[in-house]
Amino acid sequence: MSRVYNFSAGPAAVPLEVLQKAQSEMLDWHGSGMSVMEMSHRGKDYISIAEKAEADVRELMNIPSNYKVLFLQGGATLQFSMVPMNLLGSKSKACYVNTGAWSKKAIKEAKLHCDVQLSASSEDTDFTSIPAVDSWDIDPDAAYLHYTSNETIGGVEFQQIPDVGGIDLVADMSSNILSREIDVSRFGIIYAGGQKNMGPSGIALTIVRDDLIGQARTGTPSMLDYKNHADADSMFNTPPTYSWYFMGLVFEWLKAQGGIAAIEARNRRKSEKLYAAIDQSDFYSNPVEVSSRSRMNIPFVLANNALDESFLAEAKRAGLVTLKGHRSVGGMRASIYNAMPEDGVDALISMMAEFERTKA
Ligand SMILES: Cc1ncc(COP(=O)(O)O)c(C=O)c1O
């Protein structure tokens, strides 16, 4: 077996220990004689798996008891629709902050349901920074304010939770959930797709404050109403059982690493050393304003883009894969989520230095 360092933005690298645990339990889960994939979601074995995953993520994120934790289908993208469908109530406006490609997708979807007030946008600076919060244009009567805590493509990340007064805050945390400590009580809703820091794709974790549940608009399909999922403990229909189980394994792994504080310290170290390597060279550059740089997704370009293909080939030879930047921005992107070991970042830095030495 030969495993690579996978810098994919998502689906992304999973901790090796998690894959090994899933492998060891694949054919016979804890003496049940069957795989988790084969279990009834109503049986006591599966219920214990589901409950443990929820308890572990509650512990990791210190989720207050007045929040529901939902395991939903449709990835983060379906949350772009479920949020307005469930939160608007009798209101007709929501505020959105546009910091890049993922904010734009959320805004486009919200516009199908309500008036969107664009509270702030960094489009004029090509999404290389977060607009200062004191400049945001917030309507306190809007149903909620939505922002994207980490822009996976642009590599822009909020370093603090924005202070938006009394309006309910909704965050798409798909690409930085569980990577740093946050105060969940500051939010109305947090949602994230699984495939970056939690394992499998197709499943979304949605953390929603109790009082926001139960006001879906008339006509909302049952499957898109948070209340139905909350009342049924995320088993309104057959849930994605294996993905839920697998997320649980990732949560167990995170606890064994020392929890979020420990993983945050490692994420800070990993990202700081990669940015330092980029910044001290004239050969590589990252366009994002220093105070808005992501610890999870680090885009960089080569001064001479004619060398892009040869960089990628050299990286692949060194066992470093999926470094090609998103098709909309080009260049390179290193996604270094929780599961990327520090050794993987060190190997990338060495390869970059060696490539520069031979090609500059
Ligand atoms: C910030 C962000 N939001 C939303 C999504 C969409 O997630 P999904 O593909 O699970 O619907 C992604 C996917 O990469 C993302 O990075």
Side-chain angles (χ1 to χ4, degrees):
M1 184 181 73
S2 144
R3 285 187 50 87
V4 292
Y5 288 120
N6 176 10
F7 293 88
S8 170
V14 170
L16 181 60
E17 297 93 322
V18 170
L19 294 169
Q20 286 167 333
K21 180 97 192 275
Q23 182 183 39
S24 75
E25 295 180 341
M26 173 58 86
L27 300 183
D28 177 7
W29 183 84
H30 294 205
S32 65
M34 64 176 83
S35 168
V36 173
M37 218 175 296
E38 303 168 293
M39 286 177 184
S40 163
H41 58 298
R42 308 277 178 213
K44 76 171 180 5
D45 280 347
Y46 190 77
I47 299 279
S48 74
I49 290 169
E51 287 180 351
K52 178 154 191 322
E54 178 177 339
D56 282 348
V57 75
R58 280 187 176 277
E59 184 184 327
L60 281 164
M61 292 181 72
N62 200 12
I63 300 174
S65 59
N66 63 324
Y67 284 74
K68 290 278 186 300
V69 175
L70 305 177
F71 294 82
L72 302 174
Q73 295 164 65
T77 300
L78 193 54
Q79 297 308 298
F80 295 164
S81 308
M82 284 176 75
V83 165
M85 287 170 125
N86 282 269
L87 258 53
L88 284 166
S90 58
K91 297 189 171 176
S92 57
K93 187 197 275 184
C95 292
Y96 277 73
V97 175
N98 181 12
T99 50
W102 289 107
S103 305
K104 276 185 161 180
K105 291 201 184 207
I107 290 168
K108 182 167 178 238
E109 220 44 46
K111 281 183 174 166
L112 299 174
H113 302 279
C114 62
D115 297 333
V116 167
Q117 172 158 330
L118 197 59
S119 292
S121 172
S122 51
E123 191 152 21
D124 56 343
T125 55
D126 210 14
F127 298 123
T128 50
S129 62
I130 307 271
V133 180
D134 55 14
S135 70
W136 291 10
D137 180 14
I138 301 170
D139 179 347
D141 290 327
Y144 59 89
L145 182 139
H146 179 284
Y147 78 105
T148 308
S149 59
N150 183 70
E151 287 284 355
T152 321
I153 296 173
V156 169
E157 182 172 14
F158 281 77
Q159 306 303 323
Q160 269 103 34
I161 300 170
D163 187 354
V164 293
I167 191 166
D168 284 319
L169 197 53
V170 175
D172 174 0
M173 290 196 186
S174 292
S175 46
N176 68 350
I177 194 164
L178 294 162
S179 70
R180 52 166 71 214
E181 291 189 293
I182 53 143
D183 176 358
V184 173
S185 73
R186 298 275 307 277
F187 295 89
I189 292 186
I190 291 169
Y191 65 87
Q195 67 273 28
K196 291 106 171 32
N197 268 333
M198 298 184 287
S201 60
I203 185 166
L205 190 78
T206 296
I207 302 164
V208 49
R209 210 177 60 228
D210 281 345
D211 61 286
L212 299 176
I213 297 174
Q215 45 175 309
R217 287 190 154 176
T218 311
T220 299
S222 307
M223 192 57 190
L224 304 187
D225 184 339
Y226 288 136
K227 186 168 186 338
N228 290 327
H229 293 285
D231 288 351
D233 295 327
S234 303
M235 295 199 188
F236 176 65
N237 73 329
T238 315
T241 52
Y242 197 80
S243 300
W244 187 337
Y245 151 78
F246 201 98
M247 266 189 172
L249 296 184
V250 175
F251 299 152
E252 268 177 21
W253 175 83
L254 271 171
K255 283 173 63 179
Q257 302 304 298
I260 305 300
I263 211 80
E264 175 170 4
R266 193 194 300 172
N267 288 334
R268 187 179 292 119
R269 262 197 325 274
K270 283 170 7 191
S271 55
E272 280 175 358
K273 64 169 94 167
L274 184 47
Y275 282 119
I278 293 168
D279 288 346
Q280 58 84 32
S281 131
D282 295 327
F283 192 77
Y284 303 105
S285 64
N286 166 288
V288 180
E289 190 178 90
V290 171
S291 63
S292 304
R293 283 174 163 180
S294 170
R295 290 182 192 155
M296 299 281 100
N297 310 97
I298 304 187
F300 59 94
V301 293
L302 277 58
N304 175 4
N305 64 13
L307 292 173
D308 283 3
E309 287 312 315
S310 129
F311 178 89
L312 289 165
E314 210 47 60
K316 191 165 180 205
R317 250 193 299 282
L320 312 168
V321 305
T322 345
L323 281 159
K324 194 178 170 86
H326 190 270
R327 59 190 180 281
S328 63
V329 290
M332 308 298 152
R333 172 177 49 170
S335 294
I336 53 170
Y337 300 116
N338 292 346
M340 174 57 66
E342 204 156 342
D343 285 353
V345 175
D346 291 340
L348 174 60
I349 292 169
S350 302
M351 177 265 152
M352 287 168 69
E354 181 59 15
F355 188 82
E356 177 175 354
R357 197 182 62 74
T358 54
K359 301 286 177 164

